[in-house]
Each structure stands twice: as C-alpha cells, then as structure tokens.
Amino acid sequence: MDGEAQRSVSFRSNRRGERNNQSPYSKDSEGELFSPGRLPQDYPMKIVWKKGFIRLVLVAGILWMMLILIALLFHVWSCQSSVSFFSAICNKDSKVFTVLDTMGLVPKPQHRCPIPLANDPDKVVIPEGRTHDRLVKDLFFVMEDDQWNNRSQTAPLFGGQESWSQREKSFKLNSTMKVHCGFIRNSGAEMAPSDIKYVKKCRFVVASGIFDGYDVPHQPSNISLRSKKLFCFLMVLDEISLKFIKENVTIRDDGNGGKWVGIWRLVLLKHPPYDEPRRNGKIPKILLHRLFPQAQYSIWIDGKMELIVDPLLMLERYLWRGKHTFAIAQHKHHCSIYEEADANKRRKRYARPLIDLHMKIYCYEGMPSWRPGGKTISDVPEGAVIIREHTPMSNLFSCLWFNEVDLFTPRDQLSFGYVVYRLGDFFKFFMFPNCEYNSLFVLHPHTREHSSAVEWVKNLTELSGKGSGMKESRGGLGLWTPYPGKLDSVVLPPVARTSKAG
C-alpha cells in the first residue's frame, strides 16, 4: 500500500512537471511566439489575399470565356450580315465556323416562311393597262436561219445559230430592237391549231411543262373561283410525255381538240427541236411570251410542283405591290454563278469541261464573282418559279437569257446572272427570299431520274471519236464554235463550297 501510494504521488508530480514545462505560446511561420488561443496579426490579410486571388482567377476566366463567346457570336453574325464590311470578315471555310456549324450554333436559313399575301383574292385590284418601259419600246424577232437558207446545214436551228457579233449587239439597248429568240421558221416546237386558237384568249397564264415523261400533272390547290375564271392553266409537253400521261392519268377530251387533266389544258409541242429534253424544257419556261403572245401576265412553275397559292395573290405580292415586271426567287445555297457551276459539276448536271468553258467565256467577258453588298441580292436564282409581266424589256431579257441557254449549257441558272450583269441598271427585277419560294408549292419527285451520257464526261477527249455521239447536234453549239478571244489564260475565280447541295 505504501509503495503504491508513493508511485501515485510520483506520477502526479511528473505530470504537473510536464504541464509546467509546456510553454503557453506557439511560434508562427516567422518564429514569433503567439498564444494558441490567439491568431497571428497578419492571418486575416493572408486569408483575404488567398480568397481574393482565387476570385480574381475565376473572374478573369469568366471574362476570358465571355470574350471568346462574343468573338464567336460576332463571327457567326458577320456571316449572316447584309452589311458588306461585316460579311467580308466572315470566313466560312475556317475551322472555327465549321465547328460552330457542327455544334448547331450557326443559324440556318428557313426552309419555309410565311408569305405576306393579301387576304382575299376577290379584293385584289388588277392594274389597268400595261407597264411602260423607259428604253425598249418595240421588240422584234429574227425568224430566219441564214445558214440554213445558204444550205450550209440540213435543217434550220431553233435558236438560229446566233453569231458572236450578233450576240454582242443584242446587249446594246435601243428603243427598237430585233434579236434572236428561238422559234426560227420550220425549226420545230409547233402547236396544234386548236391550241393556238385557245391560247389567244389567255391574258393571265399559269404555265408548266413536262418533257421526256419525267412527271405527271399535279393539280393546284387553294385556287379561288375568280382565279379559275381569270387564268389559263397550260401544261406544255412533248409526245413522249403525252403518251406517258395517257398511260397513268385520266385525260378528258373537250370535243374541240382540247385535252385536259383536271384544271390543266395540255398543250402539245410537236417536233422538239433539241436532242436534250432539259433544253426542250427551257422553251416554255423562258420563252413563254413567244408561245403565248397574248399573255400579259404569267406564272411559270416546274412540272414537278404542285402550286398551293392562289395565282392572283402571287401577282399582287410579287409584281403589283412593288411595281415589278419580273420576279424570281433567290437560290437557297449559291449566290455566285461560279459556285453554282462548281455544284453542277459535282452533281454531274452536264459535261464538266463544257461547264468550265461556259464559265471561262463569262469570266473573259468581265462577269465578276458575286460579292455581298453588290447590285444584286444574288446572281443565282431558283428558276422553278418565274412571275412576269410581259413588257418589251421583260421579254427582251427572256430572249437574251434563252439565247445563252441555246448557245452554251442548258443549265439556265448559270446564264441568268450573266444577262443581268450585261443589261446593268436597265433591267429591274425582284428577287424574293428562298423561304417564300418553298412556301408556294409542294415538291413531288420525278417519276424517274434524268440521266444522259454527256453528264458524265470529264474531259473533252471523251467527246471525240466514238464519243462524238454524246455531243448535242442542235444546241450548245457556241461551245464548239471558235470563240473570238483567248480563253487559255483565263483562270476561274476561286469557289467556296458553302453547301453540299447543288
């Protein structure tokens, strides 16, 4: 007991000694003593500094990300801007733009949008008289093929074999003009007497065309009773298409030589003048004023389309409201004819070397590549819908446009902008948004895909020797006629492929 008590007292004494030996102070990082219950004097500043630095880094990071985001948004906006200075900054080929487009951050143009139509076709006021042109007053047409008259060829050509000098002269405007405009005497594309008699009463025309049996007529919808009485609905076709339609659609005979499919009056063109069906299709599309000379107003729609807007409302929207005489839609993807030519080659729409030759001629003659802020919204139209008042100037434009299609490739979208360029400020037209164009109709697929051997040609040597049979014999002859200029040194403008579509 005494021994245990002694050890207990000794242990407590040692513990007290240890506690007495422990210092009530601690040292900070600089070796200065401080009480454990008290913080160093600079401790609050250090905490503030550490938190402030973290906040500064976070704020700087956020500002930097916002700056990058603003720069990216500005890049996207500049590509959509109509201001030439900003749109020139845009680089759609850049990796940044491609990544943004892939992420879905680049706004896409609307496919369809509302058309600002008048409310009621019955209340539309039709203008009296005709629109008068400032410059061209009288327009006459060449009717004879001089080379055929000289017996240098076996049959007259529909386009009349326009010479380079005649072509150049046709762009020099005067009050009275005489130009080539198809329909050379005895060259084909004749209408039946019963159809000629019928169309003489047609002042307002909705026209379409089917060639080589690629489509069947599609009945328009939303047509008012007033428009049904006012308009002639004329479907122009060749004999192959008429046979195909008879086999697939019910045709009504009116007993006076007229054939009808629903609202459409079928107008047969006998003896198509071209080897290429697409080129034959340009006759009613572009030269509608020659086929139906009594027409004052016309609306052309391609054969694969079903019109879903009242035609009287279309005339009011696209012609009368803005006092226009020619209206056509902007192409969805391309603004430059050189872009469109590149797309045509990629999609094999015609022989690639002949498209290049076509573009080299235009480039040699000064046709610039389209740029934002220029005189036109675009140099490339969607030609499937054309709305016209047939004035002398409007008809002259159509003649010159057709002459280019006759001389070169049948891709009329390549020639439209060139003719606009050559006529300068004298030809005024309305190019409306593509999204409105897509709201005018329902698009139906062709009954079959068009294809011809010439579309697959990659170089001119393929068109010689055994391949000479692929050459057109009655159209596109300007591509085979020696051109009065040196084209070898012509370099086509660079093309930015803005879309996969052609």
Side-chain angles (χ1 to χ4, degrees):
M1 287 289 293
D2 293 339
E4 289 180 3
Q6 190 175 359
R7 283 195 299 272
S8 176
V9 171
S10 176
F11 175 76
R12 286 196 296 270
S13 298
N14 290 337
R15 291 290 303 271
R16 281 195 295 268
E18 288 176 2
R19 285 197 298 267
N20 290 334
N21 290 333
Q22 288 180 351
S23 173
Y25 298 98
S26 298
K27 293 183 179 180
D28 63 12
S29 58
E30 296 179 0
E32 295 183 2
L33 296 176
F34 67 94
S35 174
R38 297 176 54 194
L39 296 174
Q41 292 181 355
D42 61 348
Y43 182 78
M45 291 301 297
K46 290 179 179 180
I47 295 299
V48 170
W49 186 87
K50 288 179 180 179
K51 290 183 177 179
F53 178 76
I54 293 172
R55 288 174 180 171
L56 182 64
V57 170
L58 289 174
V59 170
I62 293 170
L63 290 175
W64 179 249
M65 293 299 295
M66 289 182 64
L67 184 62
I68 293 174
L69 182 60
I70 291 170
L72 292 176
L73 292 175
F74 177 79
H75 185 68
V76 172
W77 175 81
S78 68
C79 293
Q80 308 296 322
S81 176
S82 59
V83 180
S84 58
F85 173 77
F86 292 116
S87 58
I89 298 173
C90 171
N91 179 14
K92 290 185 178 180
D93 293 329
S94 68
K95 292 182 179 180
V96 173
F97 189 89
T98 304
V99 171
L100 291 173
D101 192 22
T102 304
M103 295 170 63
L105 297 177
V106 177
K108 303 292 184 183
Q110 287 180 286
H111 182 67
R112 286 189 172 91
C113 60
I115 307 173
L117 296 169
N119 293 324
D120 187 353
D122 291 332
K123 295 181 180 179
V124 171
V125 178
I126 299 173
E128 296 182 359
R130 293 176 178 266
T131 301
H132 297 285
D133 289 318
R134 294 187 293 123
L135 183 54
V136 179
K137 304 296 183 183
D138 297 298
L139 182 63
F140 301 96
F141 310 116
V142 174
M143 296 300 297
E144 303 292 338
D145 186 341
D146 293 335
Q147 293 196 31
W148 182 73
N149 289 337
N150 296 333
R151 294 298 184 266
S152 60
Q153 57 193 37
T154 57
L157 296 175
F158 185 80
Q161 193 74 14
E162 183 183 34
S163 68
W164 296 116
S165 60
Q166 288 174 324
R167 173 177 174 265
E168 187 62 29
K169 184 180 178 181
S170 68
F171 292 110
K172 302 183 187 303
L173 302 185
N174 294 291
S175 59
T176 301
M177 298 193 67
K178 187 175 183 179
V179 298
H180 285 77
C181 198
F183 291 95
I184 294 296
R185 193 171 281 113
N186 301 317
S187 64
E190 297 101 356
M191 289 167 52
S194 58
D195 291 329
I196 294 174
K197 180 180 178 181
Y198 177 82
V199 301
K200 283 183 178 179
K201 69 183 184 71
C202 298
R203 182 187 171 206
F204 294 81
V205 169
V206 175
S208 188
I210 299 173
F211 288 83
D212 210 33
Y214 286 107
D215 301 285
V216 294
H218 302 289
Q219 297 305 310
S221 56
N222 304 314
I223 309 300
S224 65
L225 181 61
R226 184 185 184 191
S227 289
K228 289 180 180 179
K229 293 179 179 179
L230 189 64
F231 284 83
C232 295
F233 291 81
L234 305 175
M235 179 66 69
V236 184
L237 35 72
D238 59 4
E239 291 172 303
I240 295 175
S241 300
L242 180 59
K243 181 176 181 294
F244 177 79
I245 291 170
K246 284 181 177 178
E247 293 171 350
N248 293 276
V249 180
T250 301
I251 294 180
R252 177 175 60 88
D253 196 319
D254 64 9
N256 294 314
K259 294 180 174 58
W260 299 79
V261 175
I263 200 172
W264 292 106
R265 165 95 179 205
L266 304 184
V267 178
L268 177 64
L269 285 190
K270 297 181 179 180
H271 310 115
Y274 295 111
D275 314 324
E276 171 62 46
R278 279 180 174 160
R279 208 180 285 273
N280 286 320
K282 308 308 176 188
I283 297 171
K285 175 178 180 175
I286 302 178
L287 298 184
L288 200 142
H289 66 287
R290 299 296 318 272
L291 269 179
F292 314 129
Q294 277 71 36
Q296 182 179 354
Y297 296 101
S298 72
I299 298 171
W300 167 265
I301 62 170
D302 277 1
K304 61 185 176 181
M305 294 177 169
E306 174 193 333
L307 187 65
I308 58 174
V309 175
D310 188 282
L312 197 57
L313 296 181
M314 291 175 66
L315 292 181
E316 191 282 329
R317 159 70 179 112
Y318 296 112
L319 296 186
W320 300 332
R321 190 182 303 179
K323 297 183 178 179
H324 305 293
T325 60
F326 193 107
I328 197 167
Q330 180 181 356
H331 195 279
K332 184 175 183 179
H333 300 294
H334 307 131
C335 292
S336 166
I337 65 168
Y338 300 108
E339 289 179 2
E340 177 67 10
D342 178 72
N344 274 256
K345 289 191 295 181
R346 284 186 285 148
R347 300 190 71 185
K348 298 178 178 63
R349 297 305 192 197
Y350 201 65
R352 281 174 261 184
L354 297 182
I355 291 177
D356 281 338
L357 179 56
H358 187 180
M359 293 298 98
K360 281 189 174 184
I361 291 173
Y362 284 174
C363 188
Y364 180 85
E365 294 178 346
M367 176 69 188
S369 185
W370 180 89
R371 292 186 180 278
K375 293 183 177 181
T376 60
I377 296 173
S378 170
D379 288 338
V380 184
E382 285 282 9
V385 175
I386 309 173
I387 305 146
R388 286 170 280 203
E389 179 184 358
H390 292 287
T391 67
M393 189 66 197
S394 171
N395 291 343
L396 173 65
F397 176 85
S398 296
C399 290
L400 300 182
W401 186 15
F402 180 83
N403 291 343
E404 296 299 295
V405 172
D406 176 70
L407 275 173
F408 304 120
T409 68
R411 309 306 301 175
D412 55 77
Q413 290 165 314
L414 301 179
S415 303
F416 179 89
Y418 173 80
V419 180
V420 171
Y421 160 71
R422 291 300 304 267
L423 294 181
D425 295 332
F426 292 107
F427 178 65
K428 305 290 186 182
F429 68 102
F430 177 34
M431 182 168 272
F432 54 90
N434 183 271
C435 61
E436 287 191 27
Y437 157 85
N438 286 306
S439 299
L440 293 171
F441 59 85
V442 173
L443 185 63
H444 295 273
H446 291 301
T447 57
R448 59 190 174 91
E449 281 299 317
H450 175 88
S451 181
S452 61
V454 73
E455 296 174 350
W456 296 85
V457 171
K458 296 180 180 179
N459 56 70
L460 290 177
T461 59
E462 296 178 44
L463 293 171
S464 59
K466 293 182 179 180
S468 60
M470 291 189 288
K471 291 168 57 175
E472 293 185 67
S473 63
R474 303 181 63 77
L477 301 185
L479 298 168
W480 304 102
T481 304
Y483 181 75
K486 295 181 179 180
L487 301 177
D488 294 339
S489 60
V490 174
V491 178
L492 293 176
V495 170
R497 293 181 175 177
T498 56
S499 172
K500 295 179 181 179

